[in-house]
Amino acid sequence: MGSRVRVTVRAAAFAALAAAAHAAYNARVVRTPREGPARCREAVSILLPLRDEADRVAPALRSLLAQRGLDDAEILVLDDCSTDGTAALVRRIAGPRVTLLTGVEPPPGVLGKPHACHELAQRARGSVLVCVDADVVLAPGAVAAAVSLLREAELDAVSPFPRERAEGLGARLVQPLLQWSWLVLLPLRLAETSPRPSLAAANGQFFVIDAAMLRKCGGFAAVGAEVLDDIALMRAVKRAGGRGVVADGSRIAECHMYSTWAQLREGYTKSLWSATGSAPAAAAIAGLFLAVWVLPAVAALGGSRAGLVGYAAGVAGRVVAARRTGGRVWPDSLAHPVSVLALAGLIGRSWRARATGRLVWKGRRLPEGERG
């Protein structure tokens, strides 16, 4: 091993150690909805946008109907032009206990989910809006706990990150990187108070926002063209002078995003180009990830002690994230370099799809303005 390579491996090992230490700190300070009964006395609107979700929405809908601790709550469901009987299933399960709206096709340049959320928000009467995805199942007191966190921490928006159910090899490799990424990379307490949009993080699977702030920041209409509308909305909150942050919601919510590798691959292909900002930035991010969390492991196979330290640090960071967010710790954490390799490949695939105009989601092609 040449001297330059040894220096690079040592630098990567140091960076992996620093990242693991940062993850451990974030795991201690991350906001978490309180466990145990909570009481919410203000009006709350729970918003559930649906498009072709008949095969999986039933558990989510039943969990919303079972919410406790809410003195004044409404559940608004929007059927976004489904073709699989989603609306009929909602009527059969919930009946008059929910308000079922019929959506329309979004206007040119606007994506389906933010358009659906905008329509729902227009009908909501609550002082707090709680957006939930069809693949999320909430604990009975989840909404009350999340709203209590919003008010007690004096936040304008909070995104409690659900525990991600990862089944199958592909999901077990890639899905844990969602929680790992913000625990390792985002300074949570600074992100909570800083007005810088670049420090925003969110997960639209479970998003709680003050209704007055939603109006002030422009609402879902202001992020209608954004693939990652959840992060864009949190950035809008910051630009409007609000405070918002991601939280650990693993004890009150669970999400099963993808059942197959094909679904996961298409989901990440749809969004990773937007998450990385630009093609040069994507290349830099992928290169940094490979250098910090893959290179040490490769060097360790060649007998490098610094590489072994770097690999162990990467595994430690994954262990911290998994334990804090309810993920599977062993043996999955040991495969962290393989996870990072898979993510780098998905980033490349996402940018290729964007460059060739092949970005499609839920049967809709992304607007032409979204392609580079």
Side-chain angles (χ1 to χ4, degrees):
M1 184 183 297
S3 59
R4 289 185 179 179
V5 175
R6 283 196 294 270
V7 170
T8 302
V9 171
R10 288 170 184 164
F14 178 81
L17 282 167
H22 188 241
Y25 172 75
N26 272 340
R28 289 179 53 207
V29 303
V30 62
R31 296 284 188 185
T32 306
R34 78 165 72 154
E35 295 188 61
R39 197 82 208 170
C40 178
R41 304 195 181 282
E42 63 184 303
V44 175
S45 295
I46 304 172
L47 313 182
L48 178 64
L50 302 175
R51 178 172 170 83
D52 292 334
E53 304 285 5
D55 62 338
R56 64 175 181 174
V57 72
L61 187 57
R62 291 191 177 100
S63 76
L64 297 183
L65 295 170
Q67 289 302 298
R68 303 170 188 161
L70 303 173
D71 287 359
D72 184 5
E74 63 174 355
I75 302 173
L76 304 179
V77 179
L78 184 136
D79 177 39
D80 182 14
C81 307
S82 298
T83 59
D84 66 345
T86 292
L89 179 67
V90 172
R91 293 189 190 98
R92 186 162 63 250
I93 292 176
R97 291 178 290 174
V98 305
T99 299
L100 178 61
L101 309 178
T102 300
V104 297
E105 289 292 332
V110 177
L111 299 181
K113 183 179 177 182
H115 179 63
C117 289
H118 172 69
E119 291 188 89
L120 286 164
Q122 292 293 101
R123 290 287 301 271
R125 61 175 177 78
S127 57
V128 177
L129 274 57
V130 179
C131 303
V132 183
D133 277 359
D135 49 11
V136 173
V137 176
L138 300 182
V143 171
V147 174
S148 295
L149 173 62
L150 180 83
R151 295 312 190 197
E152 290 169 4
E154 298 181 338
L155 299 169
D156 296 286
V158 65
S159 180
F161 216 112
R163 183 175 76 86
E164 298 290 341
R165 273 181 55 199
E167 299 173 357
L169 179 60
R172 287 174 64 176
L173 281 174
V174 177
Q175 284 297 91
L177 297 182
L178 289 173
Q179 296 99 323
W180 169 85
S181 61
W182 54 263
L183 278 169
V184 165
L185 299 174
L186 186 68
L188 287 177
R189 284 303 167 89
L190 177 61
E192 184 177 311
T193 57
S194 172
R196 296 184 61 180
S198 61
L199 292 178
N203 185 343
Q205 295 167 351
F206 189 11
F207 195 103
V208 183
I209 186 167
D210 177 80
M213 174 52 69
L214 184 67
R215 292 189 292 270
K216 182 179 179 181
C217 75
F220 290 101
V223 299
E226 300 290 340
V227 172
L228 296 175
D229 55 280
D230 44 9
I231 296 176
L233 184 59
M234 191 68 84
R235 288 174 176 167
V237 167
K238 286 182 173 290
R239 291 191 188 99
R243 295 175 62 228
V245 73
V246 68
D248 173 23
S250 61
R251 293 176 177 83
I252 62 171
E254 179 182 271
C255 179
H256 187 197
M257 288 181 70
Y258 305 115
S259 299
T260 67
W261 169 253
Q263 291 175 356
L264 182 148
R265 182 188 62 210
E266 295 309 310
Y268 278 79
T269 297
K270 177 261 300 183
S271 59
L272 278 176
W273 70 268
S274 181
T276 50
S278 68
I285 291 168
L288 177 65
F289 276 38
L290 293 172
V292 175
W293 289 290
V294 177
L295 176 61
V298 174
L301 292 174
S304 168
R305 282 183 287 184
L308 183 60
V309 170
Y311 166 68
V315 170
R318 272 287 292 274
V319 169
V320 167
R323 285 181 172 167
R324 189 65 182 85
T325 61
R328 187 184 282 105
V329 178
W330 308 111
D332 299 44
S333 298
L334 297 173
H336 185 60
V338 182
S339 295
V340 173
L341 275 172
L343 178 63
L346 289 169
I347 291 173
R349 188 178 195 274
S350 181
W351 275 99
R352 286 193 299 273
R354 185 185 188 230
T356 56
R358 293 184 292 108
L359 291 169
V360 177
W361 189 244
K362 293 285 186 178
R364 290 172 173 149
R365 186 172 297 277
L366 295 190
E368 291 296 315
E370 289 295 303
R371 292 197 289 130

